Amino acid sequence: MTYSTRIVGVLVLLLLAGCSSSEQERVAALKPLSVDEEVSSIVKGDDGYVVNWAGVLSNSNPWHFGEHVVATVTAKDAGGKEVVRQEQPLDAVPPAGSLSFTGQMIATEKPAQVSIQYRPAQWRLAGRIVSAFTSFPVSDVLTERKSGSYLVTGYVGTPYRLPASSLAVTALLRDKNGKLLGGGSTFVDDVRANSKRRFIMNIESVPDTSKIAKADLVARTWGSSSRPYEELALGGIVQGRTVKPTTPPFARDRGSQAAAEAGAVRP
């Protein structure tokens, strides 16, 4: 190895070390996910007690995905004894976005209180700007209040050219003041451009369905990493259809005429 080659090697190592240090400092400066909303309920079921929960996590970092977040849900009885525990991997939280999620588990003994703890997110730099991650449209939503349940149906589409292999659809149920009461989730597969897939949810997480005033619907990619969302965004968005004008063009361009009049020198 020549003297010049050794110098080049040392410079490369120093450069890589500097980049690594800079990236570590940037990740350390990221703000943690915040819990915007959280609610839980306990409903008596045929096989025991159904513990339901719903929440909203927000990511205030504009360039990073929050990945591999896990919610640990614990239910305890009146004496403080833990009767059931479950870890729920959550989907990736997009940059400058939020994640609506729901879940449930069965307890054989009656719980008195429910607590939710969140494992800190792992951060991944997004490959595109925030505007590239367009939301998935949810349309034709119908709701029906039943005794002990709340039925939500609708359709979900995609703005992306590539097909979405699997999307999670979440409904958050609220009262007339917007307070979160509960929710439910389901999945739709093979969502393609210029088409829609139907979803059905029969939600039983709200004991008193008469309090439900509305349902907020959101669809997202399924998985704890940002890869599915990144791949769809890199594939591009379907361009909106344009309609050919039916009226004849102006005999004289109005913009040019106005500009000419504005630039004229007045006596």
Side-chain angles (χ1 to χ4, degrees), residues 99-114:
L99 171 69
S100 301
F101 66 94
T102 67
Q104 70 174 37
M105 59 183 174
I106 305 295
T108 55
E109 301 178 46
K110 184 177 181 179
Q113 58 179 332
V114 180

Side-chain angles (χ1 to χ4, degrees), residues 65-68 91-93 124-127 133 162-163 165 221-235:
F65 276 90
E67 297 184 329
H68 305 293
D91 298 328
V93 189
R124 181 182 180 86
L125 183 64
F133 300 103
L162 298 177
S165 59
T221 54
W222 177 69
S224 59
S225 77
S226 61
R227 183 176 177 179
Y229 214 167
E230 295 265 24
E231 290 179 346
L232 291 174
L234 288 173

Side-chain angles (χ1 to χ4, degrees), residues 65 94-95 126-136 159-160 226 229-234 237:
F65 276 90
R128 302 292 300 274
I129 60 176
V130 175
S131 59
F133 300 103
T134 306
S135 59
F136 299 90
Y160 300 102
S226 61
Y229 214 167
E230 295 265 24
E231 290 179 346
L232 291 174
L234 288 173
I237 296 175

Side-chain angles (χ1 to χ4, degrees), residues 39-44 49-54 73 102-106 114 116 181-184 203-207:
V39 69
S40 61
S41 63
I42 302 169
V43 181
K44 182 67 172 71
Y49 297 87
V50 184
V51 179
N52 300 276
W53 60 90
V73 184
T102 67
Q104 70 174 37
M105 59 183 174
I106 305 295
V114 180
I116 307 176
L181 300 176
I203 304 173
E204 300 178 340
S205 61
V206 181

